[in-house]
Amino acid sequence: MSSMSEEADPSEVRAAARIAAAGPLPSRVTFNRFELSRILNLYGRMVADGEWRDYAIDFLRDRAVFSVFRRASEVPIYRIEKDPRLARKQGIYSVISASGLILRRGHELDRVLLVIDRKLAVV
């Protein structure tokens, strides 16, 4: 009899080896195609209106950030963030102003973007 059977179940050892061989977990949070399309459509309309001029996309370990600039040399006027850790709490998406104020947070991207989407605003 081997000493390994007394310490750990052989199936657990094989499962751990299989997980390690499968590769590391994704190291970054990203926007999917639908999310990026929706954000870039809004960005294109705002550029056409002359309000926005530049953007930056950051894929970090804990969140993805789409930053919108009036000029490239300034701080972003809006940040659209996707944070999966908040999926079961306040919502995975949020829009944050330049001062750090969270303007809107929610589970659906379209509803969160309404806070800065002037096309659908009531006049």
Side-chain angles (χ1 to χ4, degrees):
M1 221 176 205
S2 71
S3 63
M4 185 177 77
S5 63
E6 295 171 1
E7 294 174 13
D9 183 24
S11 62
E12 290 176 3
V13 173
R14 283 193 299 259
R18 196 175 319 121
I19 291 171
L25 295 174
S27 62
R28 290 187 254 159
V29 177
T30 61
F31 291 109
N32 63 32
R33 184 173 290 206
F34 168 76
E35 295 163 341
L36 203 53
S37 173
R38 177 66 180 101
I39 292 169
L40 288 174
N41 283 339
L42 172 63
Y43 175 77
R45 283 197 309 272
M46 294 305 224
V47 167
D49 290 342
E51 293 186 33
W52 297 350
R53 290 190 178 215
D54 200 7
Y55 71 91
I57 302 176
D58 297 310
F59 299 126
L60 307 172
R61 285 186 184 268
D62 58 341
R63 67 185 188 274
V65 181
F66 186 94
S67 303
V68 178
F69 299 88
R70 192 174 311 264
R71 290 181 194 83
S73 62
E74 295 180 352
V75 297
I77 54 176
Y78 294 111
R79 289 189 334 253
I80 302 164
E81 293 191 0
K82 176 183 179 180
D83 192 346
R85 294 174 301 168
L86 300 175
R88 295 181 183 222
K89 296 178 184 174
Q90 299 102 343
I92 194 168
Y93 304 106
S94 58
V95 173
I96 303 170
S97 69
S99 63
L101 179 68
I102 297 174
L103 301 176
R104 184 170 284 178
R105 180 177 279 160
H107 298 284
E108 298 175 17
L109 181 62
D110 289 335
R111 295 181 62 87
V112 171
L113 291 179
L114 285 176
V115 73
I116 53 177
D117 193 354
R118 303 203 191 286
K119 175 185 167 194
L120 299 176
V122 178
V123 179

